[in-house]
Every structure is written in structure tokens, then in C-alpha cells.
Amino acid sequence: MDWSKYDRLSFEYPSDGVLVIRINRPERKNAMDQQLHTQFAQVWHDVAADPKTRAVVVTGQGEAFSAGGDFEMVEDTIGNYATVKRLFQEAADIVYNITNCPKPVISAINGVAVGAGLAVALMADISIMSEDARLTDGHVKIGVAAGDHAAIIWPLLCGLAKARYYLLTCEFIDGQEAERIGLVSKAVPAEDLLPNALKIAERLARGSADAISATKRTLNHWVRDAGPIFESSLAMEMLGFFSPDAREGLDAMREKRYPVFPSSRQTVDVDA
């Protein structure tokens, strides 16, 4: 398989049947830009077609898994129909292509995970998280609905009560809490993260490829059943990029201040 077209990802085969994919923008804490977003939508087709791969580990290069979206990417999305249309399709592809990939995918969440990178981390079949890593879905914080994966997978993983709480408040969750509520499969000390993920991948790579693929396929019907909820949330998110709240959310993040969202301002009836 020729992986050279993926300039935002790096690839290696540490053992027979195991492919490690690293998000490779360490100088930006692996933040999601347009190229990386596109590549994460496409790469699972090549993983599925790769005869050398029977299990996949995806992790971040350096200290972060993926620190959210680049400001430039968000800026280009606000009020831009062509970009919104493309991102809508790619966000759906990230979720569905991981779900439909016949090879088991293991995420090794080595540091902060936010945004579309978090979608990859949590849509994986098995998620291993460093105990001191932190994750959050911060969509509401920038004035758009939580749409790129949250509505389809959080309620299935940790239940509706916890999903509502964390998706509405945007609180960060560390690895230990994420494991406690069932959001990730397992939390381990940082030094054990990659060895643990590789051990699981090697075990799966030695197993029956047909049986593992069939089990993944059937289990993920739970995810597919939530498809209409996911696509509704994704549409709501994309609609939000045409709102003044999105502009205020991005400006507040850039200026490192609390946002004052236009939709939350009280209107005053001067004739009252």
C-alpha cells in the first residue's frame, strides 16, 4: 500500500498484521486542518484494502492526540457554503468509514483529544486512553451544535445522562473518569499506553480475521441504527456555522476571553 499521499499521517508496521497510524502535526499539537480532515475521511478505505493490515492502532505524534480544529479551518467554514458542504460529507465519512472498515481499529489516546480528532478516538472499536490525557467535545463552546460524532456514539458508550452533561457543559474528562463512565474501553498509565494498544492489536492480528470482522460488523449495527440522529446533529452543527454565534465563539477563542453569544443576549422591548 502506498501511504505517501497522506502528508498529515505517518504509517508503520511494528509487527505482523499491525498498522500504526500517527497523526503527524506535532508542532500544532496535531490540530485538525482541512488536509487532515480530508485524509481521515479517506484513509479507512485504504486500510480496508491493505493486505498487510489485520488490526490498526491510531495515535498522535508527540504530546497530543489531536488538539481540536485549526482556527484557520474554522474561519474558512463560517458562512462558507462550499466548505460546509465538504465538511458535512467528510465528517460523515470519518464516522461511517471507521464503522464500516472490516479491520479492528484501536485508538491510543496519548494526550488532549478534541473535535474531529476526538471523533476518530471514540469511533474506534477499542479505545485505550492515558490516565492523564484529557478530552472534551467543545462544539457548544464555539457556538455550534455537537455534531461530528457525539450524538451517534456518546449515548451508546456512556449513557444519555452523562452524554447530555458533558456535551452541554464541554467539561474536560481525564482518562480515569472516561473509563469510569464507559466512554473509553480502558485507561492506563501514560508509559503503558502504546505497549498496551500494540499488545491488543497483535492479539487481534493473530485471531480469525473473518470472525473478528463479522463481530465488528454486527456490533456496529448499534451505531448504524443511530445514523439518523447523527446526521441530524451534523446538519445542526453545519447550520450553526452560518450563525453570528459561531463568529463570536471563534473570536472569543482567539482573544482568550469568554464569549458573549448573540443568541443569549436578552432583547429589550423599548415600547414596553
Side-chain angles (χ1 to χ4, degrees):
M1 184 62 64
D2 178 13
W3 303 111
S4 61
K5 62 183 175 181
Y6 296 103
D7 63 332
R8 294 294 194 266
L9 302 169
S10 65
F11 303 83
E12 65 174 311
Y13 298 93
S15 59
D16 182 43
V18 175
L19 172 67
V20 174
I21 302 175
R22 283 187 172 85
I23 309 170
N24 196 23
R25 298 188 76 208
E27 72 285 355
R28 299 294 296 271
K29 294 186 178 180
N30 298 323
M32 191 72 59
D33 64 357
Q34 292 184 3
Q35 294 96 315
L36 179 55
H37 199 265
T38 299
Q39 289 171 27
F40 257 138
Q42 297 172 345
V43 70
W44 309 106
H45 293 302
D46 286 335
V47 168
D50 181 25
K52 293 176 62 177
T53 298
R54 296 190 298 279
V56 183
V57 174
V58 58
T59 192
Q61 185 73 39
E63 64 182 24
F65 187 86
S66 180
D70 266 354
F71 287 158
E72 293 86 353
M73 179 179 174
V74 180
E75 180 68 57
D76 186 55
T77 305
I78 294 174
N80 187 330
Y81 175 77
T83 299
V84 165
K85 181 180 178 182
R86 178 177 58 78
L87 289 181
F88 181 97
Q89 184 59 58
E90 288 181 359
D93 287 345
I94 289 172
V95 166
Y96 288 136
N97 290 347
I98 294 174
T99 298
N100 294 327
C101 178
K103 318 284 177 71
V105 178
I106 301 154
S107 61
I109 308 167
N110 58 305
V112 65
V114 184
L118 180 58
V120 175
L122 295 185
M123 290 307 303
D125 303 295
I126 296 172
S127 50
I128 313 299
M129 186 172 178
S130 172
E131 290 175 342
D132 58 1
R134 300 167 75 237
L135 61 80
T136 184
D137 188 294
H139 283 79
V140 170
K141 210 170 182 178
I142 64 166
V144 298
D148 67 3
H149 75 288
I152 197 171
I153 199 66
W154 283 59
L156 286 173
L157 294 174
C158 65
L160 191 55
K162 291 295 187 184
R164 284 169 172 159
Y165 179 82
Y166 285 110
L167 297 177
L168 292 174
T169 65
C170 301
E171 280 190 16
F172 272 91
I173 310 171
D174 65 20
Q176 291 180 311
E177 179 66 4
E179 180 187 40
R180 189 188 72 81
I181 66 175
L183 191 61
V184 299
S185 308
K186 193 175 182 181
V188 299
E191 62 272 18
D192 296 334
L193 177 68
L194 193 56
N196 200 291
L198 289 172
K199 184 177 179 180
I200 294 168
E202 288 163 2
R203 178 179 179 180
L204 294 175
R206 290 194 301 268
S208 166
D210 286 350
I212 290 169
S213 177
T215 300
K216 171 175 176 170
R217 182 187 179 107
T218 52
L219 283 172
N220 277 342
H221 282 308
W222 291 101
V223 178
R224 295 182 191 96
D225 279 350
I229 296 171
F230 166 58
E231 297 202 13
S232 174
S233 73
L234 190 54
M236 291 291 188
E237 176 192 359
M238 296 302 156
L239 180 62
F241 284 112
F242 292 94
S243 75
D245 279 5
R247 165 53 57 197
E248 169 61 12
L250 177 59
D251 289 347
M253 287 187 68
R254 279 178 163 158
E255 296 162 14
K256 298 182 179 179
R257 60 173 174 82
Y258 287 106
V260 182
F261 291 117
S263 68
S264 298
R265 295 175 185 157
Q266 292 184 347
T267 56
V268 179
D269 184 354
V270 295
D271 296 326

